[in-house]
Short mmCIF file of all heavy atoms in Angstrom, two decimals:
data_model
loop_
_atom_site.label_atom_id
_atom_site.label_comp_id
_atom_site.label_asym_id
_atom_site.label_seq_id
_atom_site.Cartn_x
_atom_site.Cartn_y
_atom_site.Cartn_z
N LEU S 320 -17.01 -15.18 -0.66
CA LEU S 320 -15.80 -15.01 -1.39
C LEU S 320 -15.55 -16.10 -2.46
O LEU S 320 -15.66 -17.25 -2.11
CB LEU S 320 -14.59 -15.12 -0.40
CG LEU S 320 -14.40 -13.93 0.54
CD1 LEU S 320 -13.10 -14.17 1.38
CD2 LEU S 320 -14.19 -12.67 -0.21
N THR S 321 -15.28 -15.65 -3.66
CA THR S 321 -14.98 -16.52 -4.70
C THR S 321 -13.80 -16.08 -5.46
O THR S 321 -13.79 -14.92 -5.98
CB THR S 321 -16.23 -16.63 -5.63
OG1 THR S 321 -17.35 -17.20 -4.93
CG2 THR S 321 -15.91 -17.67 -6.80
N PHE S 322 -12.81 -16.91 -5.65
CA PHE S 322 -11.63 -16.63 -6.51
C PHE S 322 -10.88 -17.95 -6.74
O PHE S 322 -11.06 -18.85 -6.00
CB PHE S 322 -10.76 -15.48 -5.97
CG PHE S 322 -10.10 -15.88 -4.67
CD1 PHE S 322 -8.84 -16.50 -4.61
CD2 PHE S 322 -10.70 -15.50 -3.52
CE1 PHE S 322 -8.22 -16.75 -3.38
CE2 PHE S 322 -10.10 -15.84 -2.25
CZ PHE S 322 -8.85 -16.43 -2.11
N SER S 323 -10.00 -17.93 -7.76
CA SER S 323 -9.18 -19.14 -8.05
C SER S 323 -7.73 -18.67 -8.30
O SER S 323 -7.51 -17.57 -8.74
CB SER S 323 -9.62 -19.78 -9.28
OG SER S 323 -10.92 -20.18 -9.25
N LEU S 324 -6.80 -19.53 -7.84
CA LEU S 324 -5.37 -19.30 -8.14
C LEU S 324 -4.93 -20.35 -9.05
O LEU S 324 -5.18 -21.56 -8.90
CB LEU S 324 -4.58 -19.23 -6.92
CG LEU S 324 -4.82 -18.31 -5.78
CD1 LEU S 324 -3.69 -18.31 -4.79
CD2 LEU S 324 -4.99 -16.87 -6.36
N ALA S 325 -4.21 -19.87 -10.12
CA ALA S 325 -3.56 -20.86 -11.03
C ALA S 325 -2.29 -21.41 -10.43
O ALA S 325 -1.68 -20.70 -9.57
CB ALA S 325 -3.29 -20.23 -12.32
N PRO S 326 -1.77 -22.52 -10.85
CA PRO S 326 -0.48 -23.09 -10.27
C PRO S 326 0.60 -22.09 -10.51
O PRO S 326 0.73 -21.52 -11.62
CB PRO S 326 -0.26 -24.38 -11.13
CG PRO S 326 -1.58 -24.73 -11.69
CD PRO S 326 -2.38 -23.50 -11.84
N GLY S 327 1.38 -21.81 -9.51
CA GLY S 327 2.58 -20.97 -9.62
C GLY S 327 2.21 -19.52 -9.56
O GLY S 327 3.06 -18.62 -9.80
N GLU S 328 1.03 -19.20 -9.18
CA GLU S 328 0.64 -17.72 -9.17
C GLU S 328 1.18 -17.16 -7.83
O GLU S 328 1.21 -17.82 -6.82
CB GLU S 328 -0.85 -17.61 -9.24
CG GLU S 328 -1.28 -16.51 -10.21
CD GLU S 328 -2.78 -16.32 -10.35
OE1 GLU S 328 -3.53 -17.20 -10.15
OE2 GLU S 328 -3.17 -15.17 -10.64
N LEU S 329 1.48 -15.86 -7.84
CA LEU S 329 1.83 -15.08 -6.63
C LEU S 329 0.81 -14.05 -6.52
O LEU S 329 0.82 -13.03 -7.26
CB LEU S 329 3.26 -14.52 -6.73
CG LEU S 329 3.68 -13.47 -5.70
CD1 LEU S 329 3.44 -13.87 -4.35
CD2 LEU S 329 5.19 -13.22 -5.83
N CYS S 330 -0.16 -14.21 -5.63
CA CYS S 330 -1.30 -13.36 -5.46
C CYS S 330 -1.30 -12.71 -4.09
O CYS S 330 -1.11 -13.41 -3.10
CB CYS S 330 -2.57 -14.21 -5.68
SG CYS S 330 -4.01 -13.20 -5.54
N CYS S 331 -1.49 -11.44 -4.05
CA CYS S 331 -1.60 -10.72 -2.74
C CYS S 331 -3.07 -10.38 -2.53
O CYS S 331 -3.78 -9.95 -3.44
CB CYS S 331 -0.83 -9.41 -2.73
SG CYS S 331 0.97 -9.73 -2.71
N LEU S 332 -3.42 -10.45 -1.29
CA LEU S 332 -4.79 -10.20 -0.90
C LEU S 332 -4.71 -9.06 0.10
O LEU S 332 -4.09 -9.20 1.13
CB LEU S 332 -5.28 -11.48 -0.20
CG LEU S 332 -6.70 -11.79 -0.34
CD1 LEU S 332 -6.90 -13.23 -0.56
CD2 LEU S 332 -7.40 -11.44 0.96
N VAL S 333 -5.36 -8.01 -0.26
CA VAL S 333 -5.25 -6.82 0.60
C VAL S 333 -6.62 -6.38 1.08
O VAL S 333 -7.59 -6.51 0.34
CB VAL S 333 -4.48 -5.65 -0.13
CG1 VAL S 333 -5.12 -5.23 -1.31
CG2 VAL S 333 -4.22 -4.48 0.80
N GLY S 334 -6.71 -5.95 2.39
CA GLY S 334 -8.00 -5.56 2.88
C GLY S 334 -7.77 -4.90 4.22
O GLY S 334 -6.78 -5.20 4.87
N PRO S 335 -8.74 -4.10 4.70
CA PRO S 335 -8.52 -3.40 5.99
C PRO S 335 -8.52 -4.37 7.16
O PRO S 335 -8.98 -5.57 7.02
CB PRO S 335 -9.73 -2.53 6.13
CG PRO S 335 -10.71 -2.98 5.10
CD PRO S 335 -9.97 -3.74 4.05
N SER S 336 -7.94 -3.98 8.28
CA SER S 336 -7.89 -4.80 9.49
C SER S 336 -9.30 -5.21 9.89
O SER S 336 -10.23 -4.41 9.77
CB SER S 336 -7.25 -4.01 10.67
OG SER S 336 -5.88 -4.11 10.54
N GLY S 337 -9.45 -6.42 10.31
CA GLY S 337 -10.72 -6.97 10.72
C GLY S 337 -11.69 -7.39 9.64
O GLY S 337 -12.82 -7.73 9.87
N CYS S 338 -11.19 -7.31 8.36
CA CYS S 338 -12.12 -7.67 7.26
C CYS S 338 -12.18 -9.24 7.02
O CYS S 338 -12.96 -9.65 6.18
CB CYS S 338 -11.70 -6.95 6.00
SG CYS S 338 -10.36 -7.75 5.11
N GLY S 339 -11.36 -9.99 7.78
CA GLY S 339 -11.50 -11.39 7.66
C GLY S 339 -10.40 -12.13 6.88
O GLY S 339 -10.53 -13.22 6.45
N LYS S 340 -9.25 -11.42 6.82
CA LYS S 340 -8.09 -12.00 6.01
C LYS S 340 -7.60 -13.26 6.70
O LYS S 340 -7.33 -14.26 6.06
CB LYS S 340 -7.01 -10.99 5.88
CG LYS S 340 -7.48 -9.73 5.12
CD LYS S 340 -6.28 -8.69 4.95
CE LYS S 340 -5.73 -8.17 6.21
NZ LYS S 340 -6.68 -7.35 7.02
N THR S 341 -7.42 -13.17 8.01
CA THR S 341 -6.87 -14.38 8.74
C THR S 341 -7.99 -15.54 8.70
O THR S 341 -7.55 -16.64 8.53
CB THR S 341 -6.57 -13.96 10.24
OG1 THR S 341 -5.55 -12.97 10.16
CG2 THR S 341 -6.12 -15.15 11.02
N THR S 342 -9.17 -15.12 8.85
CA THR S 342 -10.26 -16.09 8.80
C THR S 342 -10.26 -16.83 7.44
O THR S 342 -10.31 -18.08 7.40
CB THR S 342 -11.70 -15.38 8.91
OG1 THR S 342 -11.64 -14.70 10.18
CG2 THR S 342 -12.78 -16.39 8.83
N LEU S 343 -10.06 -16.05 6.31
CA LEU S 343 -10.00 -16.69 5.06
C LEU S 343 -8.81 -17.65 4.93
O LEU S 343 -8.92 -18.79 4.49
CB LEU S 343 -9.84 -15.58 3.95
CG LEU S 343 -9.43 -16.07 2.56
CD1 LEU S 343 -10.54 -16.88 1.92
CD2 LEU S 343 -9.14 -14.84 1.65
N LEU S 344 -7.64 -17.20 5.37
CA LEU S 344 -6.45 -18.07 5.27
C LEU S 344 -6.63 -19.35 6.06
O LEU S 344 -6.19 -20.38 5.69
CB LEU S 344 -5.13 -17.37 5.72
CG LEU S 344 -4.35 -16.61 4.74
CD1 LEU S 344 -2.93 -16.39 5.15
CD2 LEU S 344 -4.42 -17.25 3.31
N LYS S 345 -7.16 -19.20 7.26
CA LYS S 345 -7.46 -20.42 8.06
C LYS S 345 -8.42 -21.40 7.41
O LYS S 345 -8.20 -22.60 7.46
CB LYS S 345 -8.00 -20.01 9.45
CG LYS S 345 -6.94 -19.46 10.40
CD LYS S 345 -7.60 -19.14 11.73
CE LYS S 345 -6.56 -18.64 12.76
NZ LYS S 345 -7.26 -18.03 13.86
N CYS S 346 -9.40 -20.80 6.72
CA CYS S 346 -10.31 -21.73 5.94
C CYS S 346 -9.61 -22.39 4.81
O CYS S 346 -9.77 -23.57 4.57
CB CYS S 346 -11.47 -20.97 5.43
SG CYS S 346 -12.65 -20.38 6.73
N VAL S 347 -8.73 -21.60 4.09
CA VAL S 347 -7.99 -22.21 2.98
C VAL S 347 -7.04 -23.32 3.51
O VAL S 347 -6.90 -24.32 2.85
CB VAL S 347 -7.18 -21.08 2.22
CG1 VAL S 347 -6.32 -21.65 1.16
CG2 VAL S 347 -8.21 -20.14 1.54
N ALA S 348 -6.45 -23.07 4.60
CA ALA S 348 -5.43 -24.03 5.18
C ALA S 348 -6.09 -25.21 5.80
O ALA S 348 -5.42 -26.14 6.15
CB ALA S 348 -4.54 -23.31 6.26
N GLY S 349 -7.43 -25.18 5.91
CA GLY S 349 -8.09 -26.31 6.52
C GLY S 349 -8.02 -26.30 8.01
O GLY S 349 -8.24 -27.35 8.66
N LEU S 350 -7.72 -25.11 8.66
CA LEU S 350 -7.65 -25.01 10.04
C LEU S 350 -8.97 -24.59 10.67
O LEU S 350 -9.10 -24.59 11.92
CB LEU S 350 -6.54 -24.06 10.45
CG LEU S 350 -5.14 -24.39 9.94
CD1 LEU S 350 -4.17 -23.27 10.20
CD2 LEU S 350 -4.68 -25.70 10.66
N LEU S 351 -9.86 -24.16 9.84
CA LEU S 351 -11.13 -23.63 10.31
C LEU S 351 -12.19 -24.02 9.27
O LEU S 351 -12.01 -23.90 8.14
CB LEU S 351 -11.03 -22.10 10.40
CG LEU S 351 -12.20 -21.27 10.90
CD1 LEU S 351 -12.25 -21.51 12.46
CD2 LEU S 351 -11.91 -19.77 10.79
N ALA S 352 -13.38 -24.51 9.78
CA ALA S 352 -14.40 -24.98 8.87
C ALA S 352 -15.25 -23.78 8.50
O ALA S 352 -15.71 -23.04 9.36
CB ALA S 352 -15.25 -26.01 9.55
N PRO S 353 -15.46 -23.51 7.23
CA PRO S 353 -16.33 -22.40 6.78
C PRO S 353 -17.78 -22.74 7.13
O PRO S 353 -18.18 -23.89 7.31
CB PRO S 353 -16.22 -22.37 5.31
CG PRO S 353 -15.65 -23.67 4.85
CD PRO S 353 -14.96 -24.24 6.05
N THR S 354 -18.64 -21.63 7.26
CA THR S 354 -20.05 -21.87 7.53
C THR S 354 -20.75 -22.32 6.21
O THR S 354 -21.63 -23.10 6.28
CB THR S 354 -20.66 -20.53 8.02
OG1 THR S 354 -19.81 -20.06 9.15
CG2 THR S 354 -22.13 -20.66 8.44
N ALA S 355 -20.34 -21.69 5.15
CA ALA S 355 -20.90 -22.12 3.81
C ALA S 355 -19.75 -22.03 2.78
O ALA S 355 -18.78 -21.28 3.02
CB ALA S 355 -22.09 -21.29 3.39
N GLY S 356 -20.00 -22.65 1.66
CA GLY S 356 -18.99 -22.55 0.61
C GLY S 356 -17.86 -23.61 0.83
O GLY S 356 -17.88 -24.38 1.74
N GLU S 357 -16.87 -23.63 -0.12
CA GLU S 357 -15.86 -24.60 0.01
C GLU S 357 -14.48 -24.10 -0.61
O GLU S 357 -14.47 -23.16 -1.31
CB GLU S 357 -16.27 -25.93 -0.64
CG GLU S 357 -16.57 -25.76 -2.08
CD GLU S 357 -16.99 -27.09 -2.75
OE1 GLU S 357 -16.95 -28.10 -2.09
OE2 GLU S 357 -17.39 -27.02 -3.96
N VAL S 358 -13.46 -24.80 -0.21
CA VAL S 358 -12.12 -24.58 -0.72
C VAL S 358 -11.69 -25.86 -1.41
O VAL S 358 -11.82 -26.93 -0.79
CB VAL S 358 -11.14 -24.26 0.42
CG1 VAL S 358 -9.70 -24.09 -0.16
CG2 VAL S 358 -11.53 -22.98 1.10
N LEU S 359 -11.20 -25.80 -2.63
CA LEU S 359 -10.75 -26.97 -3.34
C LEU S 359 -9.28 -26.80 -3.68
O LEU S 359 -8.81 -25.74 -4.19
CB LEU S 359 -11.51 -27.14 -4.67
CG LEU S 359 -13.04 -27.25 -4.56
CD1 LEU S 359 -13.67 -27.29 -6.02
CD2 LEU S 359 -13.44 -28.52 -3.81
N LEU S 360 -8.52 -27.82 -3.46
CA LEU S 360 -7.12 -27.88 -3.86
C LEU S 360 -6.99 -28.99 -4.87
O LEU S 360 -7.29 -30.17 -4.53
CB LEU S 360 -6.21 -28.15 -2.59
CG LEU S 360 -4.70 -28.17 -2.89
CD1 LEU S 360 -4.17 -26.84 -3.41
CD2 LEU S 360 -3.92 -28.54 -1.70
N ASP S 361 -6.57 -28.66 -6.07
CA ASP S 361 -6.55 -29.61 -7.17
C ASP S 361 -7.81 -30.38 -7.31
O ASP S 361 -7.77 -31.61 -7.48
CB ASP S 361 -5.37 -30.59 -6.93
CG ASP S 361 -4.03 -29.89 -7.00
OD1 ASP S 361 -3.87 -28.95 -7.78
OD2 ASP S 361 -3.04 -30.33 -6.25
N GLY S 362 -8.92 -29.69 -7.15
CA GLY S 362 -10.22 -30.25 -7.39
C GLY S 362 -10.77 -31.03 -6.19
O GLY S 362 -11.93 -31.45 -6.21
N ARG S 363 -9.97 -31.15 -5.11
CA ARG S 363 -10.52 -31.92 -3.93
C ARG S 363 -10.78 -30.93 -2.82
O ARG S 363 -10.00 -30.10 -2.48
CB ARG S 363 -9.46 -32.96 -3.56
CG ARG S 363 -9.46 -34.15 -4.51
CD ARG S 363 -8.77 -35.40 -3.99
NE ARG S 363 -7.38 -35.07 -3.66
CZ ARG S 363 -6.71 -35.47 -2.59
NH1 ARG S 363 -7.27 -36.22 -1.64
NH2 ARG S 363 -5.44 -35.14 -2.45
N PRO S 364 -11.93 -31.22 -2.16
CA PRO S 364 -12.30 -30.27 -1.01
C PRO S 364 -11.27 -30.29 0.09
O PRO S 364 -10.79 -31.41 0.52
CB PRO S 364 -13.63 -30.78 -0.51
CG PRO S 364 -14.15 -31.74 -1.49
CD PRO S 364 -12.94 -32.18 -2.32
N VAL S 365 -10.84 -29.20 0.65
CA VAL S 365 -9.98 -29.09 1.85
C VAL S 365 -10.85 -29.13 3.11
O VAL S 365 -11.68 -28.24 3.36
CB VAL S 365 -9.25 -27.75 1.81
CG1 VAL S 365 -8.37 -27.56 3.06
CG2 VAL S 365 -8.35 -27.71 0.56
N THR S 366 -10.70 -30.13 3.85
CA THR S 366 -11.51 -30.35 5.08
C THR S 366 -10.70 -30.34 6.31
O THR S 366 -11.12 -30.37 7.44
CB THR S 366 -12.37 -31.52 5.06
OG1 THR S 366 -11.54 -32.70 4.74
CG2 THR S 366 -13.49 -31.46 3.94
N GLY S 367 -9.37 -30.40 6.12
CA GLY S 367 -8.40 -30.34 7.24
C GLY S 367 -7.06 -30.03 6.66
O GLY S 367 -6.92 -29.79 5.43
N PRO S 368 -6.00 -29.84 7.48
CA PRO S 368 -4.69 -29.51 6.97
C PRO S 368 -4.23 -30.49 5.91
O PRO S 368 -4.42 -31.75 6.09
CB PRO S 368 -3.79 -29.63 8.25
CG PRO S 368 -4.68 -29.41 9.39
CD PRO S 368 -6.02 -30.02 8.95
N ARG S 369 -3.67 -29.95 4.84
CA ARG S 369 -3.28 -30.78 3.73
C ARG S 369 -1.77 -30.74 3.52
O ARG S 369 -1.13 -29.71 3.76
CB ARG S 369 -3.90 -30.28 2.43
CG ARG S 369 -5.44 -30.62 2.31
CD ARG S 369 -5.65 -32.00 1.76
NE ARG S 369 -5.39 -31.98 0.34
CZ ARG S 369 -6.23 -31.71 -0.62
NH1 ARG S 369 -7.47 -31.46 -0.29
NH2 ARG S 369 -5.89 -31.75 -1.83
N PRO S 370 -1.16 -31.88 3.10
CA PRO S 370 0.32 -31.95 3.04
C PRO S 370 0.89 -30.92 2.07
O PRO S 370 2.00 -30.43 2.35
CB PRO S 370 0.55 -33.34 2.50
CG PRO S 370 -0.67 -34.10 2.70
CD PRO S 370 -1.82 -33.13 2.88
N GLY S 371 0.19 -30.57 1.04
CA GLY S 371 0.73 -29.65 0.04
C GLY S 371 0.77 -28.19 0.49
O GLY S 371 1.28 -27.33 -0.30
N MET S 372 0.21 -27.81 1.63
CA MET S 372 0.11 -26.44 2.08
C MET S 372 0.93 -26.15 3.28
O MET S 372 0.89 -26.88 4.15
CB MET S 372 -1.33 -26.06 2.26
CG MET S 372 -2.23 -26.04 1.01
SD MET S 372 -3.62 -25.04 1.27
CE MET S 372 -4.90 -26.19 1.46
N ALA S 373 1.56 -24.96 3.24
CA ALA S 373 2.25 -24.52 4.42
C ALA S 373 1.79 -23.08 4.75
O ALA S 373 1.47 -22.33 3.82
CB ALA S 373 3.75 -24.48 4.19
N VAL S 374 1.75 -22.73 5.98
CA VAL S 374 1.29 -21.39 6.39
C VAL S 374 2.41 -20.66 7.21
O VAL S 374 3.06 -21.27 8.06
CB VAL S 374 0.06 -21.52 7.33
CG1 VAL S 374 -0.64 -20.09 7.49
CG2 VAL S 374 -0.90 -22.53 6.84
#
Side-chain angles (χ1 to χ4, degrees):
L320 286 184
T321 299
F322 62 90
S323 303
L324 298 191
E328 227 181 332
L329 169 48
C330 179
C331 289
L332 210 138
V333 61
S336 278
C338 80
K340 300 181 297 296
T341 298
T342 302
L343 168 65
L344 270 203
K345 283 182 178 166
C346 291
V347 171
L350 300 171
L351 187 67
T354 306
E357 60 180 354
V358 176
L359 303 173
L360 181 63
D361 294 327
R363 288 193 297 140
V365 174
T366 51
R369 285 274 288 272
M372 289 204 255
V374 194

